[in-house]
C-alpha cells in the first residue's frame, strides 16, 4: 500500500469539513474545493486549506470548553431559541388561531385587529437543521464515550 500525501490531506480535510459544516450542501461545496486542489496536484495549497480547517476545529473545541456563558453558551442558546420558535409555530400558534377564531365569532376581538404573527419557517428550518447536524455529531461523541461534564 503506497502513501499518497495528497490523498491523506484530502481525507483529513473531509473529516474536518464533516465536523465543521453540518449542512450537506455546504459540506459538499467545501469537499469539492478540496478535491479541485488535489486534482491540481497542489500539495502546498491543499495543506494550507486542511490546516485552516483543523485550526477551526481547535477553536471550536476551546470555545466549547470556555467557562463564560457568552463564549460557550451561544450554541445552546441558538438551540433553545430554535426549539421555542418551533413550539410557537407548531403548538402555540395553532392554539392561538383557534382561540382567535372563537373569540372573534363571539365579538370579543374587534375585526380590525390582526391575528397572531406566523414565523418565517424557511430560516427557522435552516437553523434547526444546522443545529440537528451538530446534535448528530454529539450523538457520535456519546456513542464513543466522550466526556463532556465540564462543557
Amino acid at each position: 500500500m503506497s502513501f499518497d500525501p495528497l490523498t491523506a490531506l484530502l481525507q483529513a480535510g473531509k473529516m474536518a469539513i464533516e465536523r465543521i459544516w453540518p449542512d450537506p450542501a455546504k459540506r459538499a461545496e467545501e469537499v469539492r474545493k478540496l478535491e479541485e486542489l488535489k486534482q491540481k496536484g497542489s500539495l502546498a495549497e491543499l495543506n494550507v486549506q486542511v490546516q485552516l480547517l483543523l485550526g477551526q476545529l481547535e477553536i471550536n473545541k476551546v470555545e466549547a470548553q470556555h467557562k463564560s456563558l457568552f463564549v460557550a453558551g451561544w450554541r445552546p442558546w441558538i438551540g433553545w431559541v430554535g426549539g421555542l420558535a418551533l413550539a410557537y409555530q407548531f403548538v402555540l400558534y395553532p392554539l392561538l388561531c383557534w382561540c382567535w377564531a372563537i373569540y372573534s365569532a363571539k365579538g370579543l376581538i374587534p375585526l380590525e385587529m390582526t391575528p397572531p404573527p406566523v414565523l418565517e419557517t424557511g430560516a427557522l428550518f435552516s437553523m434547526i437543521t444546522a443545529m440537528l447536524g451538530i446534535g448528530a455529531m454529539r450523538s457520535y461523541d456519546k456513542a464513543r464515550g466522550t466526556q463532556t461534564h465540564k462543557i
Side-chain angles (χ1 to χ4, degrees):
M1 182 165 102
S2 66
F3 177 75
D4 178 14
L6 285 174
T7 303
L9 277 173
L10 183 65
Q11 291 305 318
K14 284 180 180 179
M15 286 190 307
I17 287 169
E18 286 178 7
R19 292 182 149 226
I20 294 172
W21 286 285
D23 177 41
K26 179 67 176 166
R27 188 182 314 148
E29 174 66 21
E30 294 299 320
V31 168
R32 185 194 57 75
K33 289 177 187 176
L34 286 182
E35 288 174 347
E36 283 179 4
L37 288 174
K38 182 186 178 205
Q39 287 175 356
K40 289 180 186 177
S42 177
L43 183 61
E45 285 183 55
L46 185 58
N47 188 35
V48 167
Q49 291 300 318
V50 170
Q51 293 307 317
L52 286 172
L53 291 170
L54 294 174
Q56 182 63 50
L57 280 177
E58 288 304 313
I59 290 169
N60 291 353
K61 282 186 207 175
V62 170
E63 192 177 81
Q65 293 174 353
H66 200 278
K67 294 182 190 262
S68 170
L69 181 64
F70 292 103
V71 177
W74 73 272
R75 290 174 203 248
W77 181 78
I78 290 174
W80 280 106
V81 168
L84 291 172
L86 282 174
Y88 171 80
Q89 186 64 30
F90 295 108
V91 178
L92 186 59
Y93 178 73
L95 291 173
L96 285 173
C97 287
W98 179 63
C99 291
W100 191 274
I102 291 172
Y103 288 120
S104 292
K106 290 184 177 186
L108 298 173
I109 297 177
L111 294 175
E112 60 272 1
M113 282 186 69
T114 59
V118 177
L119 295 181
E120 197 281 302
T121 56
L124 174 63
F125 290 149
S126 297
M127 182 181 73
I128 296 298
T129 302
M131 288 302 295
L132 290 175
I134 292 168
M137 287 191 309
R138 179 64 189 122
S139 297
Y140 175 76
D141 287 343
K142 283 186 176 184
R144 295 187 70 198
T146 305
Q147 296 296 322
T148 58
H149 300 294
K150 294 180 183 177
I151 295 178

